[in-house]
Amino acid sequence: MANSPSGESIIGRFVKIVSAFDDRHTSMSVAELGRRTGLPVTTTYRLVNDLLLERLLEREPGGDIHIGTRMWELVSRGSKMLGLREAALPFMEDVQAVVQHSTTLGILDSDEVLYIERLGSDKTIVDITKIAGRLPVHATSSGLVLLAHSPAAYQDSFLARPLTKFTETTLTDPAVLRRHLAEIRQRGFAAMPGVIVPESSGIAVPVFGPDNTVCAALSVVVPRNEENAAARVPVLMAAARGISRALGWRGELKGTLRQSHSK
């Protein structure tokens, strides 16, 4: 695979170009793309032209560049995330109809929560989750659910690193976090008030895959001062069980999660 004079591979440069686009930079000029990637101007122009020929990038009438439809098509083919989203969407719509606040589906990826689906609401308060957006594991309800059900070796590695404190309620002490993770496993959900946005609270439950391991977290974001936030848990748990069954899970629910469905 050809490398640049700096030793960077073509794939590495391609990833830099694609990663330069986000929800605030959905299109840009080639010159701006070069500045955001740090690639030489001539290299940026050459790679952009190659990607335009393959329709992985597309050019707007004014000359700016954006991610091409064919990129989405190729990425979606055979993606495990597509099956997970398709299984989850009907249940997420039910949750949102009841809760009437943002409902999200997240997975653990590269030490962060990657949100693969989100249903918004007109009543949604401050909510920074976005589809294809990432948030810190220790500062979200979804992240703590995923961390609580991850292998012990991964937990040890994660808790050994410095953790950023975003608000006064963000948990950063390893010993406190370990106790909290144990409580999440026991009761079957995480409820975190204002750990990353002071005005909001996250409530999340695990989603199980066919191998009986947690593959995702289903969550809602509600106002922090909502008095009946705990009342959101049963509807989340019912939806998580439906998604898990749709994915092929045939396990038995434990603790609070099981009790909520037996009522």
Side-chain angles (χ1 to χ4, degrees), residues 70-104:
R70 188 162 185 254
M71 178 82 75
W72 170 84
E73 175 192 355
L74 295 176
V75 170
S76 297
R77 289 180 184 175
S79 171
K80 293 181 179 179
M81 297 306 99
L82 185 61
L84 177 56
R85 289 177 64 221
E86 288 179 344
L89 265 174
F91 298 97
M92 293 179 67
E93 290 169 351
D94 290 344
V95 170
Q96 191 192 38
V98 174
V99 177
Q100 298 186 356
H101 288 290
S102 288
T103 306
T104 68

Side-chain angles (χ1 to χ4, degrees), residues 56-165:
L56 299 177
L57 295 180
E58 295 175 357
R59 192 184 299 277
E60 299 177 351
D64 283 357
I65 304 298
H66 63 259
I67 296 291
T69 304
R70 188 162 185 254
M71 178 82 75
W72 170 84
E73 175 192 355
L74 295 176
V75 170
S76 297
R77 289 180 184 175
S79 171
K80 293 181 179 179
M81 297 306 99
L82 185 61
L84 177 56
R85 289 177 64 221
E86 288 179 344
L89 265 174
F91 298 97
M92 293 179 67
E93 290 169 351
D94 290 344
V95 170
Q96 191 192 38
V98 174
V99 177
Q100 298 186 356
H101 288 290
S102 288
T103 306
T104 68
L105 186 71
I107 63 171
L108 186 62
D109 184 71
S110 299
D111 297 334
E112 294 176 305
V113 181
L114 171 62
Y115 291 93
I116 63 173
E117 188 56 83
R118 175 187 182 274
L119 300 181
S121 168
D122 293 338
K123 295 185 178 182
T124 297
I125 44 119
V126 179
D127 176 17
I128 59 176
T129 60
K130 297 179 177 66
I131 295 177
R134 294 174 178 269
L135 288 177
V137 167
H138 71 290
T140 62
S141 58
S142 291
L144 289 173
V145 162
L146 294 167
L147 184 60
H149 292 276
S150 63
Y154 177 79
Q155 291 183 26
D156 292 341
S157 172
F158 185 89
L159 295 175
R161 69 192 67 175
L163 300 175
T164 302
K165 194 171 185 66

Side-chain angles (χ1 to χ4, degrees), residues 101 203 222-234:
H101 288 290
I203 306 168
V222 300
R224 184 175 178 178
N225 60 0
E226 185 176 278
E227 294 181 358
N228 63 337
R232 310 300 193 183
V233 175

Side-chain angles (χ1 to χ4, degrees), residues 6 31 36 53 61 72 78 103 105 107 112 129 132 141 170 175 189 192-193 196 201 210 212 219 233 235 254 263:
S6 65
R36 281 182 57 78
L53 287 173
W72 170 84
T103 306
L105 186 71
I107 63 171
E112 294 176 305
T129 60
S141 58
T170 309
F189 69 93
M192 304 303 299
I196 193 166
S201 294
N212 205 37
S219 71
V233 175
V235 67
K254 297 179 179 180
K263 293 180 179 179

